[in-house]
Amino acid sequence: MRRAAEDPCRRMAGLLPDPTPIRYDACMDEAPRGRVQKPERFVAHTREEMRLLPDEVRRAFGHALQFAQRGEKAPSARPLKGYHGAGVLEVVEGYDTDAYRAVYTVRFAGVVYVLHVFQKKSPSGKRTATQDLDLIRERLRCAEEDYRQESHRTRRG
């Protein structure tokens, strides 16, 4: 077993060691149709990154995440290229002259992991920068690890 300081989920692609790389949102409100919403889990500093976005962008991303929490796909969400199937989704929102993206996964039963939120700065047109794709891949791995540990605890406890 690796030590926490060596674990890439702990350091999150060059960030300082974080003892709690997954942020839990205790949102288990009733959905409009009487179903319980899935909780959101923010990987690494995604919640803090979300708070830095313009209000209109934050609202649009929050709206898309509410769809995901209800087990639905937001009209503005689309599968992220390179992640076969619709398990990893992105929402693109324009504001002023900038483009912002939120990437989340619904691969896991009962939870939505928010992987990355960022302002697109790639000079290569619509394509997402390699650095952002690498970070998304790393955070998805961390979400998988967290989900395995959480489901293991649930079965044992």
Side-chain angles (χ1 to χ4, degrees), residues 23-29 37-40 42 47 69:
R23 309 280 192 228
Y24 297 90
D25 187 359
C27 179
M28 289 296 285
D29 301 329
Q37 291 190 150
K38 299 175 185 180
E40 298 176 316
F42 290 85
R47 179 179 286 271
Q69 287 180 284

Side-chain angles (χ1 to χ4, degrees), residues 98-115:
D98 298 319
Y100 297 87
R101 294 186 181 189
V103 179
Y104 61 94
T105 185
V106 293
R107 282 186 179 178
F108 311 106
V111 65
V112 176
Y113 283 93
V114 184
L115 303 173

Side-chain angles (χ1 to χ4, degrees), residues 120-130:
K120 187 181 171 316
K121 296 179 182 175
S122 175
S124 55
K126 290 184 176 182
R127 194 172 59 210
T128 304
T130 305

Side-chain angles (χ1 to χ4, degrees), residues 6-147:
E6 296 171 1
D7 187 350
C9 290
R10 297 285 182 203
R11 65 179 162 73
M12 294 310 300
L15 298 173
L16 294 175
D18 185 353
T20 56
I22 307 293
R23 309 280 192 228
Y24 297 90
D25 187 359
C27 179
M28 289 296 285
D29 301 329
E30 285 294 316
R33 293 180 205 111
R35 293 181 291 179
V36 174
Q37 291 190 150
K38 299 175 185 180
E40 298 176 316
R41 294 187 182 168
F42 290 85
V43 180
H45 301 285
T46 308
R47 179 179 286 271
E48 291 82 3
E49 293 165 358
M50 181 91 90
R51 288 184 180 141
L52 297 174
L53 301 177
D55 290 341
E56 292 84 356
V57 174
R58 217 172 40 242
R59 274 194 289 277
F61 289 167
H63 185 68
L65 290 172
Q66 285 177 341
F67 272 89
Q69 287 180 284
R70 292 191 307 260
E72 302 169 4
K73 182 181 166 287
S76 60
R78 64 179 187 228
L80 183 64
K81 290 181 182 177
Y83 292 89
H84 311 284
V88 179
L89 300 155
E90 76 172 332
V91 178
V92 179
E93 186 67 26
Y95 177 76
D96 202 8
T97 59
D98 298 319
Y100 297 87
R101 294 186 181 189
V103 179
Y104 61 94
T105 185
V106 293
R107 282 186 179 178
F108 311 106
V111 65
V112 176
Y113 283 93
V114 184
L115 303 173
H116 191 32
V117 179
F118 59 102
Q119 179 180 354
K120 187 181 171 316
K121 296 179 182 175
S122 175
S124 55
K126 290 184 176 182
R127 194 172 59 210
T128 304
T130 305
Q131 178 182 345
D132 288 312
L133 290 173
D134 291 345
L135 184 60
I136 291 165
R137 194 172 300 110
E138 184 67 27
R139 288 181 175 181
L140 179 60
R141 191 187 70 70
C142 293
E144 289 169 349
E145 184 178 311
D146 179 75
Y147 183 76

